[in-house]
Amino acid sequence: MTTPLESAFVVIAQIRVCEAKRERFLTHILKLAERSLADETGCLQYDVIELDRGTQLFGVYEVYRDAAAYDSHQASLHFHAWKVVAEVVIEENGLDVQTGRRVPQSPAERTRPSHPLD
């Protein structure tokens, strides 16, 4: 039996925000993180990181139980509300999103039967 972190689906995003809209961005992205953690049982972690204040570059690190939990996140009302704001506060071409599966840290975890996404 696997634990949630052994099959975790991870999202890493870099977001460049319009300087004049920094506070609006922070208000809404932090609300999204709060609602995701509170309302979605499949959302295990949601961190917002300021990478470079001078260039308004932020990072988001999200961990979901599995890809289906991430799909549910994208279908949520709070995510759709965020998308409306994101169109206004993120610079043009200022969003880069990568997804993947957590790599098990111990050799024992890596030798277990393959994951369904494999």
Side-chain angles (χ1 to χ4, degrees):
M1 179 178 203
T2 61
T3 63
L5 283 180
E6 291 172 6
S7 61
F9 186 81
V10 178
V11 179
I12 300 171
Q14 283 195 353
I15 305 168
R16 190 166 311 278
V17 178
C18 300
E19 186 172 357
K21 297 179 180 163
R22 180 182 194 281
E23 287 308 313
R24 185 172 180 197
F25 163 78
L26 284 172
T27 296
H28 290 279
I29 194 77
L30 293 171
K31 183 177 181 180
L32 173 63
E34 179 184 342
R35 294 281 28 105
S36 299
L37 289 166
D39 298 346
E40 302 173 30
T41 58
C43 182
L44 306 176
Q45 183 174 344
Y46 203 117
D47 297 322
V48 178
I49 305 132
E50 184 174 46
L51 297 172
D52 185 349
R53 187 174 190 131
T55 62
Q56 304 302 320
L57 183 63
F58 291 84
V60 176
Y61 180 77
E62 307 167 51
V63 181
Y64 296 89
R65 180 184 59 243
D66 51 29
Y70 180 59
D71 292 342
S72 293
H73 168 71
Q74 291 187 304
S76 70
L77 292 176
H78 49 269
F79 183 78
H80 284 280
W82 157 249
K83 283 176 52 175
V84 172
V85 173
E87 289 181 17
V88 176
V89 298
I90 297 175
E91 287 187 357
E92 185 176 342
N93 300 316
L95 178 63
D96 179 35
V97 178
Q98 303 291 319
T99 61
R101 186 175 63 90
R102 179 187 169 272
V103 175
Q105 295 179 347
S106 74
E109 286 180 289
R110 289 191 296 274
T111 58
R112 290 189 182 145
S114 61
H115 186 273
L117 292 178
D118 294 340

